[in-house]
Amino acid sequence: MINVYTLHRAWPHQDKVVIPTALQKEVLKAGWTITEVKGGVTIQRTLEKDTLLYTKKDSSITVRTNWKIQNIKHTSDAPDKVYLNPIPFTEAADAALNQIVYIPLPANEKVIFSHLHTKWSAITIPFTIRPAVDNRLNSQVTSEFKIGTAFSLNQDWEVFKNRRMDAKKNTYGVSAGLGFGLGRITLDNGSTSLSGANYDNEEEGLVVFVTPGLGLNIRGFKILGFYGWDIGLTKNINDWNYHRKPYIGIGLGFDFWTMRR
């Protein structure tokens, strides 16, 4: 399944989950003294009458297969618990599992979920490696302003760690996708030498680029490698030495949710 997480039962801390199954009832007798914390202040009070106290009773469930999960929650309020929802089970015998459960996470330990998903990302390609052209131009590294977007399939590994007083999360992974966007090209005598156009003054041209690519995902940002083509949108790009010729690009990408944050 795409766009969900996977809990791997063979990975550390993922062979069991804890699920609330019932309420445990206790009777507190009149005259007993109880201790409470209210507003950060510890107080004691004596019960004037019998009182029923209900507490949740949790059960540990052994995970028999890899689960597809969603809605992962890990906060600094409870760094020792990673809460999650399984994608609903369809078998009647598993119906009780279709609720919020949690994985106990000891101090300084981590749990890793894999995440196969699609994503729209913003990309920029500041550097390109241009191959030699017709034995007339040597290969070279050029720099143009290019910005666009990419749609990719990503295989990420999301790491949740209990730092005792804090909950930490990191993301690592790989991706493959297709990018496109706009670029600005500077035209002069050197960059149009194959056309013989004899540009005395610099001009700027506009191109659209199309490029498949591979990337490494690190904490929401991507380091990308592309194999692409620049196609002219303005007429003067027809004089450019590298018009519609393939190149290797090195760029960066970041998803729109990371930009918003």
Side-chain angles (χ1 to χ4, degrees):
M1 296 176 63
I2 306 296
N3 296 326
V4 298
Y5 295 83
T6 300
L7 179 154
H8 300 268
R9 65 188 182 94
W11 291 9
H13 308 300
Q14 299 187 45
D15 58 337
K16 295 184 186 304
V17 300
V18 177
I19 183 171
T21 57
L23 292 176
Q24 183 175 349
K25 182 173 67 175
E26 297 182 60
V27 179
L28 306 181
K29 297 293 185 179
W32 286 11
T33 299
I34 64 173
T35 301
E36 296 179 293
V37 178
K38 291 187 175 181
V41 178
T42 301
I43 61 174
Q44 290 185 340
R45 65 185 178 93
T46 302
L47 294 177
E48 297 179 356
K49 58 183 179 180
D50 291 354
T51 303
L52 285 177
L53 180 66
Y54 292 92
T55 57
K56 287 185 177 181
K57 181 181 179 181
D58 294 343
S59 296
S60 180
I61 304 297
T62 299
V63 178
R64 299 294 186 185
T65 61
N66 294 341
W67 285 14
K68 300 299 181 183
I69 60 175
Q70 57 187 347
N71 300 330
I72 299 172
K73 182 180 179 181
H74 186 222
T75 67
S76 296
D77 294 334
D80 60 335
K81 296 181 178 66
V82 180
Y83 291 90
L84 53 93
N85 274 109
I87 300 297
F89 291 95
T90 57
E91 297 292 335
D94 298 325
L97 299 174
N98 293 330
Q99 58 181 298
I100 296 176
V101 301
Y102 70 85
I103 295 176
L105 190 58
N108 296 318
E109 292 291 324
K110 62 186 178 183
V111 63
I112 304 173
F113 302 120
S114 62
H115 187 199
L116 181 64
H117 62 110
T118 56
K119 180 187 293 184
W120 280 103
S121 302
I123 59 172
T124 179
I125 309 176
F127 302 105
T128 52
I129 302 173
R130 304 281 181 181
V133 179
D134 300 332
N135 294 321
R136 299 171 62 188
L137 287 177
N138 294 327
S139 60
Q140 59 180 312
V141 176
T142 63
S143 177
E144 299 95 20
F145 177 77
K146 290 191 179 76
I147 191 167
T149 184
F151 182 75
S152 60
L153 178 65
N154 302 262
Q155 176 63 69
D156 287 344
W157 292 269
E158 297 197 7
V159 182
F160 300 84
K161 188 170 184 178
N162 176 6
R163 297 295 297 272
R164 292 184 181 272
M165 303 297 293
D166 199 8
K168 293 293 185 180
K169 175 186 172 183
N170 290 320
T171 302
Y172 306 93
V174 295
S175 62
L178 180 67
F180 52 91
L182 297 175
R184 186 179 62 200
I185 304 298
T186 299
L187 301 172
D188 53 25
N189 266 330
S191 62
T192 61
S193 59
L194 297 183
S195 69
N198 296 321
Y199 277 65
D200 294 326
N201 300 307
E202 288 188 356
E203 294 184 14
E204 290 188 347
L206 188 64
V207 298
V208 58
F209 65 84
V210 180
T211 173
L214 299 173
L216 296 176
N217 304 337
I218 302 175
R219 299 185 180 183
F221 292 88
K222 297 180 181 179
I223 301 173
L224 303 167
F226 298 99
Y227 186 82
W229 296 262
D230 292 329
I231 302 170
L233 291 179
T234 54
K235 186 175 180 181
N236 57 357
I237 292 296
N238 292 326
D239 298 325
W240 186 38
N241 294 336
Y242 300 106
H243 185 215
R244 297 191 178 184
K245 292 181 171 58
Y247 62 85
I248 296 172
I250 300 173
L252 300 173
F254 36 94
D255 65 80
F256 292 112
W257 178 246
T258 299
M259 291 175 63
R260 182 177 177 182
R261 287 184 295 177

